[in-house]
C-alpha cells in the first residue's frame, strides 16, 4: 500500500512538472496539490491568473489553515 502511494506521488509530481514546462500553470497546480506540494500548487494557481484556478487556490488554502499560505494568497 505504501509503495503504491509513493509511486502515485512521484507520478503526480512528474505530471505537474510536465504541465509547468508547458506553461499550463493551473493544471500543474492540480498535480502539485495531489502530490502534497501545497506551496508549489499555490504558486502555480496564482501564476495561472485564471479565475477557476484561483478559486481552487482559495479552497485549498482554506483547508490548510496555515497563515503563511493565507498571506501568500493575499
Amino acid at each position: 500500500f505504501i509503495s503504491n502511494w509513493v509511486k502515485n506521488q512521484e507520478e503526480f509530481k512528474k505530471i505537474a512538472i510536465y504541465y509547468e514546462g508547458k506553461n499550463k500553470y493551473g493544471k500543474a497546480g492540480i498535480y502539485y496539490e495531489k502530490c502534497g506540494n501545497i506551496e508549489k500548487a499555490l504558486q502555480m494557481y496564482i501564476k495561472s491568473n485564471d479565475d477557476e484556478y484561483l478559486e481552487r487556490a482559495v479552497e485549498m488554502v482554506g483547508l490548510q489553515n496555515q497563515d503563511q499560505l493565507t498571506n501568500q494568497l493575499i
Side-chain angles (χ1 to χ4, degrees):
F1 174 75
I2 299 271
S3 65
N4 285 339
W5 183 83
V6 170
K7 187 175 177 182
N8 287 342
Q9 301 309 302
E10 291 170 2
E11 290 299 314
F12 290 148
K13 185 176 179 183
K14 288 178 187 176
I15 295 167
I17 291 168
Y18 168 81
Y19 280 126
E20 184 178 2
K22 297 287 185 184
N23 298 329
K24 295 186 183 235
Y25 302 116
K27 287 190 178 211
I30 291 170
Y31 287 96
Y32 278 120
E33 185 177 353
K34 286 183 182 220
C35 75
N37 191 339
I38 302 302
E39 287 187 21
K40 186 72 171 183
L42 180 57
Q43 290 172 7
M44 293 293 104
Y45 288 147
I46 292 169
K47 198 169 184 178
S48 76
N49 202 27
D50 179 300
D51 288 345
E52 174 187 348
Y53 295 116
L54 293 174
E55 286 179 28
R56 286 184 75 115
V58 170
E59 290 176 21
M60 179 185 73
V61 168
L63 291 172
Q64 296 301 314
N65 197 23
Q66 294 180 21
D67 290 341
Q68 177 186 351
L69 291 176
T70 303
N71 292 337
Q72 189 177 349
L73 178 61
I74 294 171

